[in-house]
């Protein structure tokens, strides 16, 4: 099994460095070295800053890709209309196990990120700057950078700056979750859609953008849009930061201009010459095959044209030796455990989808595949946040990308390959770090005792659903910590003592015994206690 990615992996550059300039000189650019490498930065007006962002086609680098200039104008307009000073938030919450590019920038070039954010704060008249981070290393680095600039959260300061620590979770990096955490609440999406530009931190108009986005803005403000546009594609100028992991010689972060062939980036990281698939955009992204890899270049438009996604810049190839559906199941279980627990599609649908994929891999046949397609479709477009949609995208892409393997599992009982665990997931200790993440435990049923009472599904429907015969079907996902109490209650309430909680990886599910007609196994709804 692959180890989790290090906080700050190796950094490589294709062409001339922009964001990573100076990385060959020191491990971390303090303020003095930062100014030597990049030079001073003059403030600009809000209108000029918005124009600059539009001239370089700057989009958010956190995954959603929203135009930065449009966001800047919306915050300014709302602030003027309401007569309220806005807040600027740097989103450095990188909770996805396959992403490290923001962590690299926060650790090694924190002042470049602060440059962009302070430019925006000055242009908007903001008096509050917040940096949201997920890891110890990033918190230490950004606190040191604020201290080097003399920025504090003291009352009366012209600009109050502070750091907020968010959990290392997928849902905690969403904009609404970050805003909620900054306000002192849980780092979870609030379950309602509201534009941060209208009402964000403390109800004030809020400019929230990804760490790399602010760094790109700082580079463009220094060199100008004309020179910035000389690098990369005309339609998507500049560079992008990519995290390469999976089946690579060593994980790394690469800064590359847009337009570079994807196959070259993979070759640079030591990926297999002909990967059986490449996951683009991370665990909310899409798979592409080896043919598409040969055609694609690094850009949003190019990757989208071959069915991929740039997303937050995570690129994960897998080699021919591992079962792609088994790899997908590991990720599916993690996605299910990452639920915010606030809506049905996330709380019920994702564990059901992970369980459905497990059923397909364990010989469930065409019926299991059809059930998986139905639950995946039911999740789409109905969640209170973006996690269900992103996860459903991953499920759908997996089913579309690996049709031969899917046929082997559905029709022949397997593809003959083991799952090597090449896709990175959180390592030991992660389970104890946060409240609503996997507990390391799984539910199991002793089918020689189960009588189909159905009480367990009523108590913890997130993890147990009733099958067509009325007997429980368990999600293959680990029990999240926030559901552990109800899972234990379901075990205690089972009249037949058939349900139990097991520590560690659950064994391969055993088949339910096929009983002859007239035997003692009762249908659901008859003879329940």
């Amino acid at each position: 099994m692959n180890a989790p990615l290090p906080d700050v992996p190796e950094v490589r550059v294709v062409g001339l460095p922009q964001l990573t300039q100076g990385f060959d000189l020191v491990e971390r650019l303090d303020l003095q070295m930062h100014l030597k490498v990049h030079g001073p930065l003059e403030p600009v007006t809000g209108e000029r800053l918005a124009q600059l962002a539009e001239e370089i086609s700057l989009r958010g680098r956190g995954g959603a890709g929203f135009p930065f200039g449009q966001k800047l104008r919306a915050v300014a307009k709302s602030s003027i209309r309401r007569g309220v000073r806005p807040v600027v938030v740097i989103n450095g919450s990188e909770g996805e196990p396959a992403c490290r590019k923001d962590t690299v920038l926060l650790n090694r070039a924190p002042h470049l990120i602060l440059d962009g954010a302070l430019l925006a704060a000055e242009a908007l008249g903001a008096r509050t700057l917040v940096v949201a981070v997920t890891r110890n290393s990033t918190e230490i680095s950004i606190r040191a950078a604020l201290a080097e600039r003399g920025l504090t959260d003291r009352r009366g300061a012209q600009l109050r700056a502070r750091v907020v620590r968010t959990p290392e979770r997928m849902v905690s990096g969403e904009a609404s979750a970050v805003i909620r955490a900054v306000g002192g609440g849980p780092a979870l999406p609030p379950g309602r859609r509201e534009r941060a530009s209208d009402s964000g931190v403390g109800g004030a108009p809020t400019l929230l953008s990804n760490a790399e986005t602010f760094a790109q803005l700082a580079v463009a403000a220094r060199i100008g849009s004309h020179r910035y546009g000389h690098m990369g594609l005309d339609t998507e100028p500049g560079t992008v930061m990519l995290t390469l992991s999976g089946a690579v010689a060593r994980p790394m972060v690469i800064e590359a201009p847009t337009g570079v062939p994807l196959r070259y980036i993979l070759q640079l990281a030591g990926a297999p010459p002909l990967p059986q698939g490449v996951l683009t955009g991370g665990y909310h992204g899409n798979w592409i095959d080896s043919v598409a890899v040969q055609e694609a270049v690094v850009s949003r438009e190019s990757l989208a044209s071959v069915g991929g996604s740039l997303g937050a810049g995570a690129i994960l190839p897998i080699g021919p030796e591992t079962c792609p559906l088994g790899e997908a199941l590991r990720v599916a279980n993690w996605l299910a455990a990452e639920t915010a627990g606030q809506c049905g599609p996330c709380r019920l649908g994702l564990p059901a989808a992970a369980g459905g994929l497990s059923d397909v891999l364990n010989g469930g046949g065409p019926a299991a595949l059809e059930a998986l397609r139905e639950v995946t479709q039911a999740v789409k477009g109905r969640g209170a946040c973006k996690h269900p949609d992103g996860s459903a995208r991953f499920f759908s892409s997996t089913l579309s990308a690996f049709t031969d393997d899917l046929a082997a599992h559905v029709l022949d009982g397997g593809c003959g390959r083991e799952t090597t665990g090449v896709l990175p997931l959180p390592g030991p200790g992660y389970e104890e770090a946060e409240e609503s993440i996997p507990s390391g435990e799984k539910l199991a049923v002793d089918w020689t005792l189960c009588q189909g009472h159905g009480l367990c599904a009523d108590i913890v429907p997130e993890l147990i659903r009733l099958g067509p015969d009325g007997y429980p079907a368990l999600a293959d996902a680990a029990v999240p910590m926030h559901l552990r109490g109800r899972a234990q209650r379901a075990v205690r309430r089972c009249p037949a003592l058939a349900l139990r909680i097991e520590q560690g990886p659950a064994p391969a599910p055993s088949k339910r015994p096929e009983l002859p007609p007239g035997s003692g196994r009762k249908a659901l709804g008859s003879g329940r206690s």
Side-chain angles (χ1 to χ4, degrees):
M1 296 286 183
N2 260 21
L5 299 187
D7 269 16
V8 184
E10 177 185 352
V11 178
R12 302 286 294 273
V13 182
V14 178
L16 296 175
Q18 296 289 341
L19 305 183
T20 59
Q21 193 174 352
F23 281 22
D24 58 331
L25 302 175
V26 291
E27 281 299 306
R28 177 184 180 274
L29 281 75
D30 61 15
L31 182 57
Q32 184 179 4
M33 181 59 74
H34 167 74
L35 292 174
K36 284 183 179 178
V37 170
H38 292 283
L41 184 59
E42 297 296 325
V44 296
T45 65
E47 178 58 31
R48 179 62 198 125
L49 198 62
Q51 287 177 357
L52 175 66
E54 290 162 355
E55 288 167 2
I56 65 171
S57 302
L58 181 60
R59 290 178 173 269
R61 301 300 176 92
F66 193 83
F68 184 84
Q70 186 175 333
K71 185 183 294 186
L72 189 67
R73 291 183 189 278
V75 173
K77 183 178 179 180
S78 180
S79 177
I80 292 170
R81 184 182 73 249
R82 295 177 53 194
V84 176
R85 287 193 181 274
V87 175
V88 174
V89 178
I90 299 170
N91 188 0
S93 299
E94 201 167 38
E96 183 170 344
C99 290
R100 287 295 184 274
K101 53 100 173 174
D102 287 324
T103 300
V104 163
L105 289 174
L106 286 161
N107 272 282
R108 300 196 62 182
H111 288 285
L112 196 62
I113 298 167
L114 289 176
D115 275 349
L118 292 170
L119 270 180
E122 178 72 18
L124 291 169
R127 292 292 179 263
T128 303
L129 171 66
V130 184
V131 189
V133 296
T134 55
R135 299 183 174 91
N136 283 331
S137 61
T138 51
E139 182 176 3
I140 292 169
S141 177
I142 203 69
R143 285 191 185 279
L146 292 175
E148 288 162 9
R149 289 176 180 253
L151 294 173
T152 69
D153 193 28
R154 284 198 295 266
R155 192 182 299 273
Q158 185 176 4
L159 176 73
R160 298 181 66 177
R162 59 191 173 103
V163 180
V164 171
R165 185 76 176 266
T166 61
E168 196 172 330
R169 293 196 57 200
M170 190 77 157
V171 295
S172 297
E174 185 172 317
S176 60
V178 171
I179 288 172
R180 199 175 179 189
V182 170
L188 296 172
R192 62 183 185 278
R193 306 284 176 100
E194 193 168 24
R195 290 182 179 178
S197 59
D198 292 329
S199 180
V201 176
T206 299
L207 177 70
L208 182 146
S209 206
N210 167 262
E212 184 195 341
T213 314
F214 282 115
Q216 294 283 0
L217 185 68
V219 167
R222 277 187 169 89
I223 66 177
S225 59
H226 184 69
R227 184 176 161 196
Y228 187 96
H230 282 172
M231 186 171 290
L233 300 170
D234 291 340
T235 53
E236 299 178 40
T239 64
V240 293
M241 297 287 284
L242 305 170
T243 308
L244 275 291
S245 64
V248 296
R250 54 194 179 277
M252 61 180 60
V253 168
I254 299 177
E255 182 183 13
T258 55
V260 171
L262 180 60
R263 64 180 182 275
Y264 178 74
I265 297 295
L266 292 169
Q267 180 183 354
L268 197 64
L274 288 175
Q276 64 170 321
V278 176
L279 183 58
T280 60
Y283 295 155
H284 276 177
N286 295 292
W287 291 97
I288 61 174
D289 60 23
S290 56
V291 176
V293 167
Q294 302 303 312
E295 299 174 357
V297 301
V298 175
S299 81
R300 291 183 184 278
E301 185 178 354
S302 176
L303 286 171
S305 71
V306 296
S309 168
L310 182 60
I315 307 292
L316 302 101
I318 59 171
E321 69 284 346
T322 190
C323 170
L325 299 183
E327 294 286 349
L329 178 59
R330 293 177 61 247
V331 176
N333 287 337
W334 178 79
L335 289 170
E338 285 293 282
T339 171
Q342 299 182 133
C343 69
C346 197
R347 190 167 55 91
L348 306 177
L350 298 188
L357 183 56
S358 177
D359 290 345
V360 170
L361 263 69
N362 287 300
L369 177 58
E370 183 58 31
L372 173 57
R373 293 189 192 278
E374 287 180 4
V375 72
T376 301
Q377 189 62 37
V379 166
K380 292 179 181 177
R382 298 176 55 235
C385 72
K386 298 175 183 176
H387 184 54
D389 277 356
S391 302
R393 187 182 308 115
F394 173 81
F395 280 105
S396 298
S397 177
T398 299
L399 298 182
S400 300
F402 302 109
T403 53
D404 290 346
D405 294 271
L406 198 60
H409 279 277
V410 170
L411 302 177
D412 299 328
C415 66
R417 289 173 291 180
E418 293 187 359
T419 301
T420 61
V422 71
L423 298 181
L425 288 173
Y430 174 82
E431 287 84 358
E432 287 76 34
E434 306 299 342
E435 179 185 356
S436 298
I437 54 182
S439 64
E441 301 172 337
K442 287 190 176 183
L443 289 169
V445 172
D446 183 342
W447 296 113
T448 63
L449 298 176
C450 181
Q451 298 176 7
H453 294 91
L455 296 177
C456 53
D458 292 336
I459 297 171
V460 62
E462 296 90 340
L463 299 173
I464 305 173
R465 66 187 191 277
L466 297 182
D469 61 355
Y471 280 75
L474 306 184
D476 195 50
V479 178
M481 290 297 289
H482 73 284
L483 296 179
R484 196 163 177 262
R486 280 199 280 150
Q488 292 171 337
R489 190 160 73 249
V491 169
R492 292 194 297 268
R493 288 283 300 276
C494 178
L497 305 179
L499 188 66
R500 64 180 183 272
I501 292 177
E502 295 181 339
Q503 293 288 339
S510 58
K511 298 281 187 180
R512 294 180 193 166
E514 294 299 328
L515 302 182
S519 66
R521 195 171 97 173
K522 298 177 182 179
L524 183 67
S526 60
R528 293 182 185 168
S529 59

